[in-house]
Amino acid sequence: MIAIKLFWSFFQIGLFSIGGGMAAMPLIQNQVVDLHHWLSLTEFTDLITIAEMTPGPIAINSATFVGIRIFGIPGALIATFGCILPSCIIVSVLAFIYFKYKEMTVIQGVLSGLRPAVVALIASAGVSILRLTVFGESGFSTQSLNYIAVLLFASALFVLRKWKPNPIIVMLGSGIIGGAIYLLV
Amino acid sequence: MKIKNNLLLKLFTSTFYLSAFTFGGGYVIIALMKKKFVDNLSWIGEDEMLNLTAIAQSSPGAVAVNASILLGYRVAGIPGALITIVGTVLPPLIIISAISFFYKAFRDNNVVNAILNGMQAGVAAVIADVVLNLGGNICKEKDLSYILVMVSAFIATFFFKINAMYIILVCGIIGAVKVWLQAKRVKREVLSK
């Protein structure tokens, strides 16, 4: 019974979280804290912190976290499956339509308008992360400017532009070097 | 058959590896996928990667999962899509399962926090690098309307926090109208000759 509830709950989260990431948070809170009392509000806040500290989409992280707490590993699997099932179905339909009709002039036009928009969305996500890194939670001000982060960002970008290495090496490198500096300072 | 299996294996290891490093939201995996599948492996073109991203963004659910499904389907059909879903979902599933038993210690650990803070600067640099390439290519098309769309979409999402869904919708309509007007103009020129 709890397995079905878990599945259904995360199925709804997967289905209605359009736009991804933070858009899913209020939905998760509603299902997990308010409706089913699977987590307390403090535990939910912990979950968001953990989700931000670990890789992967917030919805999947939450599904695993909640699933494992109330039903062990099977719970984690069921909740995760519920969460991705709506995406799988809807994206498959869209993929089918896209690959079938992508040569049509109208669709070509739509896509040509979408490409610059997608670049803008990626840029906006990047600037948000950069702002968080450089200024912290407090927002723009010279006092909150983190010089270590500015330096790390600039050197990482320089390395990426100049030698085009594997980006994951750059991320790990800036984690290790930056982490060492933060601990020493 | 062997080639097909190799392809699926490569798809699985690539998405697993990328997903394990997707810190900071769905667009990070888009940046990493672009580097891996467009620049490195040349399995799909840059335009197609952006098309797939637009579809992933417009569908419900996590952008990372949606983009993986589309990419897997594009490269190896339905088996490809299934493989990339598993590859993308497994890393967070394993990591959170492991951490959930001692998450308070993990959350309050100084070393973990310092490394993650350092990594955030690297993540920002990776996205900046990809955006410079993609934005540069849009500008190279020398079509002012696309540059205008890009700049206004950025202002709309970053400063006005407008839902990405609406931005995608409006930009899609602009693109369709532009092509329709072009087609009309061509038709008129043909008729006048």
Side-chain angles (χ1 to χ4, degrees):
Chain A
M1 193 53 207
I2 187 91
I4 297 169
K5 266 193 193 156
L6 198 59
F7 174 83
W8 181 234
S9 225
F10 277 94
F11 185 88
Q12 289 175 62
I13 291 169
L15 182 62
F16 295 115
S17 59
I18 297 171
M22 291 297 151
M25 256 169 46
L27 281 166
I28 300 170
Q29 185 181 353
N30 180 254
Q31 286 288 336
V32 169
V33 182
D34 307 339
L35 280 177
H36 295 289
H37 311 291
W38 285 326
L39 297 183
S40 69
L41 198 59
T42 322
E43 285 173 314
F44 180 73
T45 318
D46 285 346
L47 162 63
I48 300 303
T49 315
I50 301 294
E52 280 178 357
M53 291 171 77
T54 50
I58 278 193
I60 309 272
N61 289 345
S62 311
T64 308
F65 191 84
V66 174
I68 214 157
R69 304 207 89 203
I70 60 171
F71 205 51
I73 301 281
L77 292 173
I78 291 166
T80 304
F81 180 65
C83 185
I84 60 168
L85 192 59
S87 301
C88 295
I89 298 167
I90 293 166
V91 172
S92 301
V93 174
L94 289 177
F96 178 77
I97 296 171
Y98 165 72
F99 289 116
K100 191 156 187 212
Y101 297 107
K102 67 175 172 179
E103 304 305 332
M104 272 173 66
T105 322
V106 184
I107 302 291
Q108 283 290 322
V110 171
L111 291 170
S112 72
L114 291 186
R115 285 195 289 266
V118 169
V119 176
L121 292 175
I122 301 175
S124 166
V127 177
S128 299
I129 294 177
L130 183 62
R131 187 174 62 178
L132 185 68
T133 316
V134 171
F135 293 103
E137 306 281 350
S138 50
F140 298 105
S141 78
T142 41
Q143 280 114 9
S144 61
L145 185 69
N146 178 345
Y147 293 100
I148 301 172
V150 176
L151 207 67
L152 269 177
F153 170 77
S155 13
L157 186 60
F158 176 77
V159 169
L160 279 164
R161 303 296 296 172
K162 177 114 183 151
W163 292 290
K164 311 204 183 312
N166 183 336
I168 287 169
I169 308 273
V170 175
M171 279 161 59
L172 280 179
S174 96
I176 293 165
I177 296 169
I181 299 172
Y182 282 128
L183 286 173
L184 289 173
V185 173
Chain B
M1 195 61 206
K2 186 133 187 290
I3 296 167
K4 180 103 203 210
N5 282 341
N6 280 342
L7 186 69
L8 289 178
L9 186 68
K10 184 92 194 153
L11 262 180
F12 176 77
T13 51
S14 306
T15 43
F16 185 91
Y17 176 64
L18 297 187
S19 173
F21 287 94
T22 307
F23 289 90
Y27 288 113
V28 179
I29 206 172
I30 302 291
L32 294 176
M33 279 178 166
K34 192 252 168 199
K35 282 254 168 198
K36 180 87 192 166
F37 296 107
V38 179
D39 302 344
N40 192 337
L41 294 169
S42 307
W43 281 357
I44 68 169
E46 184 174 307
D47 279 3
E48 185 130 49
M49 185 73 222
L50 291 176
N51 293 346
L52 297 184
T53 307
I55 301 173
Q57 168 66 52
S58 334
S59 314
V63 175
V65 176
N66 295 350
S68 299
I69 298 174
L70 288 162
L71 192 103
Y73 184 79
R74 165 69 179 73
V75 173
I78 290 172
L82 292 175
I83 279 282
T84 49
I85 292 172
V86 177
T88 307
V89 167
L90 270 186
L93 192 71
I94 295 168
I95 292 168
I96 294 286
S97 297
I99 287 176
S100 69
F101 296 107
F102 53 90
Y103 74 93
K104 288 203 169 86
F106 177 81
R107 184 195 59 193
D108 299 329
N109 187 300
N110 279 340
V111 179
V112 172
N113 275 301
I115 292 176
L116 287 171
N117 274 335
M119 215 152 147
Q120 213 172 41
V123 172
V126 169
I127 300 195
D129 175 46
V130 168
V131 166
L132 286 175
N133 290 336
L134 292 174
N137 287 344
I138 298 274
C139 294
K140 264 186 225 150
E141 283 181 33
K142 300 237 185 299
D143 186 327
L144 195 65
S145 60
Y146 292 137
I147 299 171
L148 220 59
V149 165
M150 183 165 70
V151 173
S152 1
F154 180 82
I155 293 170
T157 177
F158 188 74
F159 293 105
F160 295 104
K161 310 278 172 236
I162 291 170
N163 190 325
M165 270 295 292
Y166 300 124
I167 295 175
I168 296 259
L169 200 67
V170 171
C171 295
I173 293 172
I174 293 174
V177 169
K178 187 171 145 64
V179 167
W180 179 68
L181 288 177
Q182 266 168 356
K184 227 168 99 175
R185 200 180 312 134
V186 170
K187 215 179 194 174
R188 205 178 302 131
E189 275 163 20
V190 170
L191 285 177
S192 64
K193 266 177 196 166

